[in-house]
Amino acid sequence: MIQLQRLEGFYRVARAEGYARAVRSFPYPITQPGIHQQVKRLESEVGVALFERVGKDRVVLTPEGRALYSHVAPFLEGLDAVVQSLRKGEVGGTLRIHASGHVLRHLLPAWLRRLQARRPDIEVVLHESKVPAVDILSAGDTDLVVDHLPEVPEDVEARVVGHTAPFLVLPSNHPQAKSRRVRLDLLRDDAFIAYSTDKYLRELQLAELARAGVRPRRLHAADSSETILGFVSAGLGYSLLASLLPGGPREAGVVARPLPGAPSGAIHAAWRRSSARSPLIQAALTLAPKP
């Protein structure tokens, strides 16, 4: 294993083209014989001469030395800047985010534009999840989860970044679509389209129907709000959806009506407690929406 100290001596001699001049470039005290010893030990380790003497106090790189210098120089020249970035918490890299399709479409775009403008050194990798990806987060396979969270595990921290409101969605050609206030009890004979994968959201839907005294006679199921809206647009039934949009879900062939009295929901950004100091997560949270 080649010692970093020897590579630094080699690098500074190559830049200064001499041992005496290299001494003055070191950030710590060192003697000319000390630098010479570093280079000689490095040459012994790699098995070739790295410098050629061309004057009394001047040396230049051999072809082998130039090859080694091309690899060593970028690392040493960038090392100080990287260390300063680490100390300031300005580390770039890849930030992994899992979010629901609705959040990916309506909440994250503006947030990520701000992050991209402020921190172009951070690459964001997005994954759509059908249910809140808390298990994936706890396993360390993602950095942030942005979704509704029925429960926040002990090993996870969370912050509210958005609020959803409940809406009734009907086919635009439905007889009740023309009314501004729709009565759920008048829809008891219509098919209802419920969530299939996310049991928590499905239970919320059915609980709201039960509160209105409705027990659907026919049920269809879909994985996401986007798929549910597609079913509604096709005239297959109606549904209840939470939306980040003030006017409710927008889809051709669909009419959305607010549900007075139904509870609103929160959208959380969640991260592992152990990664709370991650500069990537902190950069994203600094620019997160403030509902």
Side-chain angles (χ1 to χ4, degrees), residues 8-266:
E8 183 185 15
F10 160 76
Y11 164 76
R12 293 187 180 278
V13 172
R15 280 181 60 92
E17 293 190 342
Y19 291 93
R21 288 185 293 275
V23 170
R24 297 190 289 271
S25 71
F26 273 79
Y28 51 85
I30 192 170
T31 64
Q32 182 174 334
I35 302 175
H36 194 271
Q37 191 74 291
Q38 287 180 357
V39 172
K40 285 301 178 184
R41 287 175 178 171
L42 179 61
E43 289 180 326
S44 177
E45 287 178 337
V46 299
V48 294
L50 299 174
F51 291 103
E52 176 187 357
R53 183 169 293 279
V54 294
K56 181 179 178 180
D57 60 353
R58 182 169 180 259
V59 294
V60 295
L61 290 166
T62 63
E64 293 86 353
R66 289 196 296 272
L68 181 60
Y69 182 83
S70 67
H71 288 278
V72 171
F75 167 73
L76 291 175
E77 289 167 0
L79 185 58
D80 286 343
V82 170
V83 171
Q84 291 301 319
S85 295
L86 292 174
R87 289 172 177 167
K88 295 178 181 178
E90 298 175 349
V91 180
T94 301
L95 179 67
R96 303 164 298 174
I97 299 177
H98 276 68
S100 66
H102 186 67
V103 168
L104 286 172
R105 185 175 179 182
H106 298 296
L107 188 144
L108 280 174
W111 181 1
L112 295 183
R113 280 196 298 270
R114 292 193 297 272
L115 181 61
Q116 185 180 51
R118 183 79 62 85
R119 294 295 304 276
D121 57 325
I122 296 179
E123 176 188 358
V124 177
V125 177
L126 297 173
H127 300 274
E128 181 176 356
S129 49
K130 303 300 183 184
V131 296
V134 176
D135 291 342
I136 296 175
L137 178 66
S138 296
D141 294 326
T142 193
D143 302 305
L144 274 179
V145 169
V146 186
D147 211 332
H148 68 89
L149 295 181
E151 296 180 356
V152 179
E154 291 185 359
D155 63 335
V156 170
E157 292 184 44
R159 175 193 298 181
V160 176
V161 293
H163 289 286
T164 59
F167 290 85
L168 169 69
V169 288
L170 291 163
S172 58
N173 60 358
H174 192 280
Q176 289 206 61
K178 296 179 182 180
S179 174
R180 299 306 301 176
R181 289 181 62 86
V182 180
R183 292 173 51 186
L184 288 177
D185 59 322
L186 298 180
L187 297 171
R188 64 180 72 254
D189 292 329
D190 292 71
F192 183 77
I193 304 170
Y195 283 99
S196 58
T197 305
D198 195 324
K199 296 180 180 179
Y200 172 76
L201 289 182
R202 181 188 180 98
E203 289 173 0
L204 286 181
Q205 288 177 314
L206 298 180
E208 187 59 29
L209 291 178
R211 191 171 72 90
V214 176
R215 184 175 182 179
R217 297 179 181 177
R218 290 179 294 158
L219 278 175
H220 298 307
D223 279 342
S224 67
S225 59
E226 281 71 19
T227 306
I228 289 175
L229 287 173
F231 281 13
V232 173
S233 176
L236 296 176
Y238 72 101
S239 189
L240 303 178
L241 294 176
S243 178
L244 287 159
L245 301 175
R250 300 170 186 167
E251 183 77 18
V254 173
V255 170
R257 295 286 183 263
L259 281 178
S264 61

